[in-house]
């Protein structure tokens, strides 16, 4: 499953781009979101962290202090 954990005090909006289909999902503060149904074969993720990158099914990501996985810039895919 592709999951994003939002550890910030505000909700998080994540853009999901599958090529022909785009979604915007909201993850409540302190909650996790399972985005795997919208990212079955990999997808582009964008958000307020200031960059976008390609996610793969199985990635587990954390958004905290306005950063994704503690980085302000990421190249490629991150898996924790």
């Amino acid at each position: 499953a592709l999951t994003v954990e939002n550890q910030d005090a505000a909700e998080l909006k994540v853009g999901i781009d599958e090529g022909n289909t785009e979604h915007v999902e909201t993850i409540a503060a302190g909650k996790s979101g399972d985005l795997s149904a919208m990212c079955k074969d990999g997808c582009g993720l964008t958000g307020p962290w200031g960059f976008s990158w390609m996610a793969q099914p199985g990635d587990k990501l954390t958004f905290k202090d306005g950063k994704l996985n503690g980085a302000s810039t990421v190249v490629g895919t991150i898996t924790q």
Side-chain angles (χ1 to χ4, degrees), residues 5 8 48-49 51 62-73:
E5 180 181 358
D8 276 358
W49 50 81
F51 59 91
T62 302
F63 185 77
K64 182 176 181 181
D65 298 328
K67 296 179 180 181
L68 188 66
N69 286 11
S72 56
T73 304

Side-chain angles (χ1 to χ4, degrees), residues 8-10 12-13 15-16 19 28 35-36 38-39 42-43 49-50 58 61 66 70 74-75 78-79:
D8 276 358
L12 170 65
K13 290 194 183 288
I16 303 165
L35 307 179
S36 55
M38 292 164 270
C39 188
C43 60
W49 50 81
L61 309 169
V74 175
V75 176
I78 301 172
T79 303

Side-chain angles (χ1 to χ4, degrees), residues 22-35:
E22 295 180 3
H23 315 272
V24 175
E25 291 295 310
T26 301
I27 302 169
K31 302 290 182 184
S32 291
D34 182 351
L35 307 179

